Amino acid sequence: MNIDSTPSAQARANIGDQISKDSPIPLYKQLKMAIEELIESGRWSPNSQVPSERQLCEIFQISRITVRQAINELVEEGRLVRSHGRGTFVGNALLKKHLLPLIGFSQEIQARGQKPGAKVLQFDVTQAPAVIAKALEITQEQKILVVKRLRLADFVPMAVEVVHLPVGLCGDLKKSDLENQSLYEMLKRKVSIIPSRASQQWQAVACPLNEAKLLGIPDKSPVFRIQRTTYTKEDVPFEYVDSFFRGDKYVFHAELYNENEKVFNS
């Protein structure tokens, strides 16, 4: 869609060709998909006002009933929010966190057109606990850097992460290096470390009290706990991270392929 960056400007743009009356897909579903694409691409940013029902009717050349059905579903799903007397606005939509490719939080947030941020809560050099030493393939006598950060998107808390880095691999990082900065970009620039692959597990858990306070959510709220070991291109583990992502802000997305397709089709 060749459209402006704000929904009010988009109301005047030529985006009506996204709807095909010859398609077997119902018109309201086509409209819903078109609006979702605008939101997910970041062209309709969170909290911005969307065109009125009348404007959407004009843009897409469809009936008010069709527009209202699409809007109602998006409101029910939390993608849009109605404000009495003001209009309809883009909600604080779920961040679609792709499992592939391997990129950092900052890159994901930037790809959505939002401003990433990081507040450093802890920055310590200590000996590695057994489970961390095993993940990083080092001895417990070796030093690690422990960095706890609150991750933000447009200044809204999204995740609490604790990163463990072998001091011997990661060089002379400073606390100031990681305040509102991308760790992966910093490692690339300072010590030429580029993440190549990761082993990751995630589970839905009740948020611990301390993390809930940092995220601004009630105690025991559902969150994703993600634990990951990340490797260099030489297959050396350089990072073990334990994170809590807000369950009301994230949806995890992956494309799955059948490697045995030929077997099933034979």
Side-chain angles (χ1 to χ4, degrees):
M1 300 181 192
N2 182 22
I3 53 180
D4 217 302
S5 60
T6 62
S8 59
Q10 288 161 1
R12 301 186 298 271
N14 183 21
I15 57 175
D17 57 0
Q18 298 301 309
I19 298 292
S20 171
K21 294 183 180 179
D22 296 326
S23 171
I25 301 173
L27 291 175
Y28 85 91
K29 283 192 176 293
Q30 293 185 57
L31 175 59
K32 182 182 176 185
M33 291 165 60
I35 293 173
E36 286 177 325
E37 194 277 331
L38 287 166
I39 295 172
E40 291 179 3
S41 68
R43 285 174 281 183
W44 282 16
S45 58
N47 302 314
S48 57
Q49 189 169 11
V50 307
S52 67
E53 289 184 3
R54 179 183 60 79
Q55 290 172 318
L56 289 171
C57 289
E58 294 174 356
I59 294 167
F60 291 99
Q61 294 297 297
I62 53 180
S63 71
R64 192 107 177 216
I65 293 175
T66 300
V67 169
R68 188 164 294 167
Q69 187 173 0
I71 296 298
N72 284 343
E73 287 198 4
L74 290 165
V75 169
E76 288 176 3
E77 295 170 7
R79 306 306 301 270
L80 298 178
V81 178
R82 285 195 179 99
S83 177
H84 183 68
R86 296 179 61 222
T88 304
F89 297 79
V90 178
N92 289 315
L94 296 173
L95 173 64
K96 183 181 285 187
K97 183 175 177 62
H98 291 263
L99 303 184
L100 292 172
L102 176 57
I103 59 174
F105 177 91
S106 296
Q107 289 86 351
E108 283 185 313
I109 298 302
Q110 288 171 337
R112 283 182 53 86
Q114 295 177 274
K115 179 179 176 61
K119 181 179 180 182
V120 178
L121 307 172
Q122 177 187 354
F123 190 91
D124 293 322
V125 174
T126 184
Q127 289 184 317
V131 64
I132 307 298
K134 182 177 180 181
L136 294 175
E137 299 178 10
I138 60 176
T139 67
Q140 288 185 250
E141 288 73 30
Q142 290 179 267
K143 299 290 186 180
I144 59 169
L145 176 62
V146 181
V147 183
K148 183 175 183 179
R149 296 195 294 174
L150 180 65
R151 305 313 306 268
L152 312 168
D154 284 346
F155 307 102
V156 176
M158 302 293 259
V160 177
E161 67 174 16
V162 182
V163 177
H164 308 80
L165 307 164
V167 170
L169 270 182
C170 295
D172 185 27
L173 286 179
K174 299 180 177 63
K175 181 178 180 180
S176 59
D177 290 338
L178 300 175
E179 194 81 20
N180 292 318
Q181 300 291 327
S182 164
L183 172 64
Y184 287 174
E185 286 297 322
M186 192 63 59
L187 291 174
K188 178 182 177 181
R189 186 164 63 250
K190 284 206 164 191
V191 289
S192 300
I193 287 179
I194 299 174
S196 177
R197 71 175 182 91
S199 174
Q200 178 169 290
Q201 67 176 24
W202 57 96
Q203 63 182 132
V205 300
C207 191
L209 178 59
N210 289 340
E211 281 72 17
K213 288 180 178 178
L214 291 169
L215 292 171
I217 58 177
D219 184 26
K220 307 299 183 184
S221 294
V223 292
F224 289 108
R225 184 177 186 181
I226 302 173
Q227 295 165 298
R228 183 177 75 227
T229 304
T230 316
Y231 298 79
T232 68
K233 59 184 179 181
E234 293 80 21
D235 216 33
V236 176
F238 72 89
E239 172 196 53
Y240 178 81
V241 59
D242 192 354
S243 302
F244 292 92
F245 283 78
R246 287 179 60 162
D248 62 336
K249 295 293 184 184
Y250 279 84
V251 58
F252 287 84
H253 173 79
E255 293 186 6
L256 306 179
Y257 298 91
N258 181 8
E259 294 182 352
N260 296 316
E261 182 180 359
K262 291 183 180 180
V263 175
F264 289 120
N265 290 339
S266 61

